Amino acid sequence: MTDTRRPLDVTAELTLTVEGEDVRVAGFGELVVVDAPTLSGALALLRGTKQLPTEQFGENVRAADVTVDIRVDGVSVARLGPGLRPGYLSRALGVAPARLSLGGAALALLRG
Protein backbone atom coordinates (compact mmCIF):
# COMPACT_ATOMS: atom_id res chain seq x y z
CA MET A 1 0.00 0.00 0.00
CA THR A 2 1.36 3.40 -0.93
CA ASP A 3 0.94 6.60 1.00
CA THR A 4 -1.34 8.86 -1.04
CA ARG A 5 -1.18 11.91 1.21
CA ARG A 6 -0.92 15.17 -0.59
CA PRO A 7 0.37 18.42 0.81
CA LEU A 8 -2.30 20.54 2.44
CA ASP A 9 -3.13 24.03 1.23
CA VAL A 10 -4.63 26.15 4.01
CA THR A 11 -6.63 29.25 3.23
CA ALA A 12 -8.29 30.58 6.35
CA GLU A 13 -8.80 33.55 8.59
CA LEU A 14 -10.34 33.00 11.99
CA THR A 15 -10.14 33.95 15.63
CA LEU A 16 -10.07 31.40 18.45
CA THR A 17 -10.30 31.98 22.17
CA VAL A 18 -7.64 30.00 24.02
CA GLU A 19 -7.35 30.34 27.78
CA GLY A 20 -9.24 33.64 27.63
CA GLU A 21 -7.08 35.14 24.87
CA ASP A 22 -8.19 35.84 21.31
CA VAL A 23 -5.78 34.10 18.95
CA ARG A 24 -5.80 34.94 15.24
CA VAL A 25 -5.17 32.17 12.74
CA ALA A 26 -4.54 32.85 9.06
CA GLY A 27 -3.62 30.36 6.36
CA PHE A 28 -1.64 31.27 3.28
CA GLY A 29 -1.26 28.01 1.35
CA GLU A 30 1.59 26.13 2.97
CA LEU A 31 2.03 28.69 5.79
CA VAL A 32 -0.32 28.95 8.76
CA VAL A 33 0.21 31.95 11.04
CA VAL A 34 -1.05 31.71 14.62
CA ASP A 35 -0.82 35.08 16.38
CA ALA A 36 -1.37 35.22 20.15
CA PRO A 37 -1.51 38.51 22.08
CA THR A 38 0.94 37.37 24.80
CA LEU A 39 3.98 35.15 25.14
CA SER A 40 2.26 33.11 27.86
CA GLY A 41 -0.66 32.49 25.49
CA ALA A 42 1.70 31.38 22.73
CA LEU A 43 3.51 29.01 25.10
CA ALA A 44 0.17 27.56 26.22
CA LEU A 45 -0.69 26.89 22.58
CA LEU A 46 2.70 25.30 21.94
CA ARG A 47 2.43 23.02 24.97
CA GLY A 48 -0.72 21.49 23.53
CA THR A 49 -3.78 20.05 25.20
CA LYS A 50 -4.83 16.64 26.48
CA GLN A 51 -6.90 16.16 23.31
CA LEU A 52 -4.01 17.12 21.02
CA PRO A 53 -0.55 16.88 22.57
CA THR A 54 2.12 19.04 20.96
CA GLU A 55 4.02 15.98 19.68
CA GLN A 56 0.96 14.70 17.79
CA PHE A 57 0.23 18.17 16.43
CA GLY A 58 3.81 18.45 15.20
CA GLU A 59 3.55 15.08 13.45
CA ASN A 60 0.29 16.17 11.80
CA VAL A 61 1.86 19.43 10.62
CA ARG A 62 4.83 17.61 9.08
CA ALA A 63 2.54 15.03 7.42
CA ALA A 64 0.44 17.84 5.92
CA ASP A 65 3.62 19.50 4.61
CA VAL A 66 2.71 22.91 6.06
CA THR A 67 4.64 25.27 8.30
CA VAL A 68 2.99 26.83 11.35
CA ASP A 69 4.48 30.14 12.49
CA ILE A 70 3.58 31.04 16.09
CA ARG A 71 3.68 34.78 16.71
CA VAL A 72 3.15 37.10 19.64
CA ASP A 73 1.60 40.38 18.54
CA GLY A 74 3.14 39.93 15.10
CA VAL A 75 6.61 38.77 16.26
CA SER A 76 7.58 35.22 15.25
CA VAL A 77 8.54 33.21 18.34
CA ALA A 78 8.38 29.60 17.10
CA ARG A 79 7.83 27.38 14.07
CA LEU A 80 6.64 23.85 13.45
CA GLY A 81 6.93 22.09 10.15
CA PRO A 82 8.88 19.85 7.82
CA GLY A 83 12.63 20.08 8.32
CA LEU A 84 12.37 22.10 11.55
CA ARG A 85 13.85 20.49 14.64
CA PRO A 86 13.51 21.68 18.23
CA GLY A 87 16.54 22.91 20.11
CA TYR A 88 17.46 22.56 23.74
CA LEU A 89 15.29 25.53 24.79
CA SER A 90 12.23 24.06 23.06
CA ARG A 91 12.66 20.76 24.87
CA ALA A 92 13.35 22.46 28.23
CA LEU A 93 10.17 24.54 27.98
CA GLY A 94 8.09 21.55 26.88
CA VAL A 95 7.15 22.93 23.46
CA ALA A 96 9.03 20.46 21.24
CA PRO A 97 8.66 19.72 18.33
CA ALA A 98 8.34 23.48 17.84
CA ARG A 99 11.58 25.34 17.21
CA LEU A 100 11.69 28.43 19.41
CA SER A 101 13.26 31.67 18.26
CA LEU A 102 15.20 33.09 21.20
CA GLY A 103 15.43 36.50 19.50
CA GLY A 104 11.71 36.53 18.73
CA ALA A 105 10.82 35.51 22.29
CA ALA A 106 13.10 38.22 23.70
CA LEU A 107 11.54 40.85 21.43
CA ALA A 108 8.03 39.73 22.39
CA LEU A 109 8.97 40.00 26.08
CA LEU A 110 10.41 43.49 25.58
CA ARG A 111 7.34 44.66 23.69
CA GLY A 112 4.92 43.08 26.21
Side-chain angles (χ1 to χ4, degrees):
M1 180 178 220
T2 62
D3 188 0
T4 58
R5 289 186 195 174
R6 296 175 49 117
L8 185 64
D9 239 7
V10 180
T11 304
E13 190 170 330
L14 56 121
T15 301
L16 306 172
T17 301
V18 178
E19 293 190 12
E21 293 188 2
D22 287 341
V23 176
R24 294 178 309 227
V25 179
F28 305 97
E30 63 186 40
L31 175 66
V32 177
V33 175
V34 179
D35 198 353
T38 65
L39 188 56
S40 62
L43 288 172
L45 284 169
L46 286 167
R47 288 187 179 123
T49 66
K50 290 180 183 175
Q51 290 82 20
L52 186 60
T54 303
E55 296 82 15
Q56 181 62 47
F57 180 68
E59 289 176 22
N60 293 345
V61 166
R62 283 190 294 276
D65 198 25
V66 296
T67 298
V68 177
D69 187 36
I70 308 294
R71 298 179 183 179
V72 174
D73 198 23
V75 176
S76 181
V77 296
R79 281 194 162 212
L80 292 107
L84 296 171
R85 300 291 174 247
Y88 173 77
L89 184 59
S90 298
R91 290 188 295 276
L93 292 176
V95 299
R99 180 175 185 85
L100 286 178
S101 163
L102 188 54
L107 182 57
L109 276 172
L110 289 172
R111 292 175 70 187

